[in-house]
Amino acid sequence: MKALTPNDQLFLWLERRNQPMHVGGLVLLKPPKGQSTVDYVHKVVADMRTYTQPVAPFSLRLKSRLGMWFWVEDDEFDLEAHFIHLSLPKPGRIRELLELTSKLHAAPLDRAKPLWEAYVIDGLEDGRVALYTKVHHALVDGVACMKMLQRSMADNPEIMDIPPLWANPNLRGSVQRSEASEGLVTLLGQVVDTAKTQLFSLPKVVKEVGRSLWQTSVADPDFVSVIQAPRSVLNRRITASRRVAAQSWSMERIKNCANGLNMTLNDVVLAMCGSALRSYLGELNALPARPLVAMVPVSLRKDDTATGNHVALLLANLATDTEDPVERIETIARSVNHSKERFASMNQTEIMNYVATMMGISGFNMLTGLAPKLQAFNIVISNVPGPKHTLYFNGAEVDGVYPVSLLLDGQALNITLNSYAGKLEFGLVACRRTMPSMQRLLQFLEDGLVELEEAAAKEVKANLKKRTAA
């Protein structure tokens, strides 16, 4: 029996009917050449149904004891409750697939069983097959899901008989949990060590909090404060209904914009989102006068090592009050760089404590809903690194990998993207009733990228003209 960590316990405490706490992924497969979709699906589904014994963490269910949650092996595991084969109604467009995914994603997982479900979905008019999987956030996070996906696929189409995600031995033990049987001395030692670490970080955190309060008071244009986010329709109470939208963009297009404008790839992504939100809210006559603020997880790693973490949650000014795309991306870049420069002088513990201190009131509101006017940001925009090469599942080419994230009350829209084989795959999730016609954001994202491409082309042409004149 393994105890959930405090963070993982939190995902269970947060869960309500309108706020299921699972994350998901939608994978599109191209059946092997020379094999019909019907034959491929029949074989794959039959094979997957033979894997009736899951490996950890997919074999674990919850058990409550003394007000805490623990993971235990499920001795009554029933694959039929977790793995389901569905077919889309005609005409089988991507629209029907996303509508079905939206309904599946809105339904909470049964806590009496292991907290995951997997679906094979056929009936797409173009012959592709979809795999939709959802896993509770208490079991894995988005980054872990991406790593699991990579390890459950093959690098070439010749590799067959790959076990499904829940039964893949390569994933055994990939989610580590703290042991419930830890001795009291060990536990107390960890508490003392943690307290020492927190205490040593206090002077730096106090200094940076004071600096932030001063920058707020003098209205530093590049500093995004925790009281800057405007009230928006994005931050209304959510219902249990969901709408999922997904689309891919060429990494080359985005990198060309970044190079032409001397920006980073993430700057371009945030500028696309800022432009799309400006257009979408403008159509609804709900665009705030002040710019929207995004909370963005950003890696601060300075080397290529794979161990440890150096990730910060920063606030970015999306410049939705600005019509000019160049001015918008420059504003975004300055706000992001301002936070990066601040975090560069802090270690991971100091960064976490600083962020927790500055966003404490907003976090309290998200947990309780008692102070809806207190919000540090309007939307979460997250970019998860993914595989750079094409993957295969039992001979079928993986044609798309789209993240499907979760929503919290007061955060009616989430934009998560991951890289895959030269593309950026955007997955948008929204409360269907709070965000009408949310799929319009996909066209607005494309419009935002086109604006940046035109601006980058002008910049490259101007620089070339300057070099020629010199």
Side-chain angles (χ1 to χ4, degrees):
M1 187 165 64
K2 298 180 179 181
L4 276 70
T5 66
N7 284 343
D8 294 333
Q9 299 265 1
L10 180 62
F11 288 116
L12 295 173
W13 295 333
L14 280 172
E15 192 160 49
R16 297 189 291 275
R17 178 64 188 91
N18 70 327
Q19 190 170 278
M21 299 302 292
H22 54 255
V23 292
L26 182 65
V27 176
L28 293 178
L29 302 175
K30 287 183 178 178
K33 292 181 179 179
Q35 187 172 3
S36 71
T37 300
V38 173
D39 290 342
Y40 178 77
V41 170
H42 177 77
K43 183 180 185 308
V44 165
V45 170
D47 288 346
M48 293 173 83
R49 282 179 173 156
T50 65
Y51 291 93
T52 58
Q53 299 300 316
V55 300
F58 299 98
S59 60
L60 305 177
R61 66 173 177 83
L62 290 170
K63 183 174 183 179
S64 179
R65 180 178 294 178
L66 299 177
M68 293 185 61
W69 292 100
F70 297 83
W71 293 120
V72 298
E73 288 289 332
D74 185 9
D75 297 329
E76 300 177 353
F77 180 80
D78 179 11
L79 181 61
E80 294 297 317
H82 298 270
F83 174 58
I84 301 170
H85 174 206
L86 298 174
S87 296
L88 292 174
K90 291 184 178 181
R93 298 166 297 181
I94 291 295
R95 177 177 178 176
E96 279 77 37
L97 174 62
L98 293 176
E99 287 177 352
L100 175 58
T101 303
S102 301
K103 292 177 182 178
L104 296 175
H105 198 65
L109 290 162
D110 185 352
R111 291 192 180 188
K113 303 180 179 71
L115 295 176
W116 62 272
E117 291 176 358
Y119 298 80
V120 171
I121 305 170
D122 62 14
L124 278 164
E125 60 182 353
D126 59 12
R128 289 184 294 177
V129 180
L131 303 178
Y132 166 71
T133 306
K134 64 179 181 181
V135 186
H136 202 284
H137 212 312
L139 200 64
V140 296
D141 60 28
V143 175
C145 276
M146 181 56 64
K147 290 181 178 179
M148 284 184 169
L149 171 67
Q150 294 180 58
R151 293 168 63 182
S152 65
M153 301 287 179
D155 293 333
N156 69 75
E158 305 301 322
I159 300 176
M160 306 296 287
D161 301 320
I162 300 174
L165 190 68
W166 65 84
N168 195 318
N170 294 329
L171 305 182
R172 191 187 303 274
S174 58
V175 180
Q176 300 295 328
R177 301 293 173 185
S178 58
E179 293 291 339
S181 58
E182 288 177 329
L184 181 60
V185 174
T186 302
L187 184 59
L188 289 176
Q190 290 177 343
V191 171
V192 172
D193 288 342
T194 301
K196 288 180 180 178
T197 303
Q198 303 297 326
L199 186 61
F200 289 142
S201 72
L202 189 59
K204 183 68 174 180
V205 173
V206 171
K207 176 183 176 182
E208 291 301 330
V209 169
R211 180 182 165 203
S212 297
L213 295 175
W214 178 81
Q215 287 173 323
T216 301
S217 66
V218 299
D220 184 335
D222 297 331
F223 173 67
V224 183
S225 77
V226 293
I227 59 173
Q228 183 173 323
R231 297 297 304 278
S232 166
V233 296
L234 299 175
N235 308 114
R236 291 178 179 172
R237 300 296 299 270
I238 63 173
T239 67
S241 61
R242 294 291 180 268
R243 175 68 72 195
V244 174
Q247 191 162 316
S248 299
W249 275 271
S250 163
M251 187 82 77
E252 183 178 2
R253 290 181 65 189
I254 296 174
K255 284 183 177 178
N256 287 340
C257 286
N259 293 334
L261 296 170
N262 195 28
M263 297 291 172
T264 68
L265 184 145
N266 277 334
D267 292 335
V268 175
V269 168
L270 290 175
M272 288 173 62
C273 294
S275 174
L277 289 169
R278 173 182 168 85
S279 298
Y280 174 78
L281 295 178
E283 272 196 351
L284 298 178
N285 294 320
L287 181 66
R290 289 184 290 145
L292 296 175
V293 173
M295 193 273 277
V296 185
V298 174
S299 173
L300 301 178
R301 189 179 301 285
K302 298 180 181 179
D303 54 39
D304 295 325
T305 57
T307 58
N309 351 198
H310 203 176
V311 177
L313 304 177
L314 57 82
L315 299 179
N317 180 345
L318 292 180
T320 49
D321 59 335
T322 301
E323 184 175 0
D324 182 77
V326 175
E327 184 179 342
R328 180 180 303 115
I329 195 170
E330 288 176 347
T331 300
I332 289 170
R334 287 196 304 270
S335 70
V336 170
N337 290 335
H338 191 283
S339 292
K340 285 184 177 180
E341 290 169 3
R342 178 191 304 277
F343 293 149
S345 65
M346 304 164 68
N347 61 38
Q348 186 72 18
T349 300
E350 290 168 347
I351 290 172
M352 292 175 65
N353 288 339
Y354 168 79
V355 172
T357 301
M358 295 304 295
M359 296 192 185
I361 297 178
S362 180
F364 172 78
N365 174 53
M366 292 179 70
L367 289 173
T368 66
L370 296 179
K373 294 184 179 181
L374 298 175
Q375 57 188 45
F377 51 90
N378 302 105
I379 185 173
V380 176
I381 302 176
S382 182
N383 189 348
V384 180
K388 297 180 180 179
H389 56 279
T390 302
L391 298 175
Y392 300 86
F393 181 70
N394 289 321
E397 178 185 334
V398 177
D399 192 43
V401 183
Y402 302 97
V404 188
S405 194
L406 53 81
L407 298 179
L408 294 175
D409 225 354
Q411 296 288 318
L413 173 66
N414 176 284
I415 299 177
T416 302
L417 55 143
N418 56 248
S419 54
Y420 171 67
K423 300 177 291 182
L424 278 182
E425 317 270 49
F426 282 67
L428 282 64
V429 183
C431 170
R432 183 171 58 84
R433 295 185 183 179
T434 309
M435 305 290 294
S437 304
M438 185 273 290
Q439 62 272 18
R440 289 277 290 154
L441 279 168
L442 297 178
Q443 181 58 52
F444 292 141
L445 283 167
E446 169 66 17
D447 294 343
L449 180 55
V450 170
E451 283 181 345
L452 293 170
E453 287 176 322
E454 293 173 351
K458 290 180 181 178
E459 187 70 19
V460 170
K461 185 176 181 179
N463 289 337
L464 180 61
K465 187 175 181 180
K466 288 179 182 178
R467 288 197 297 268
T468 302

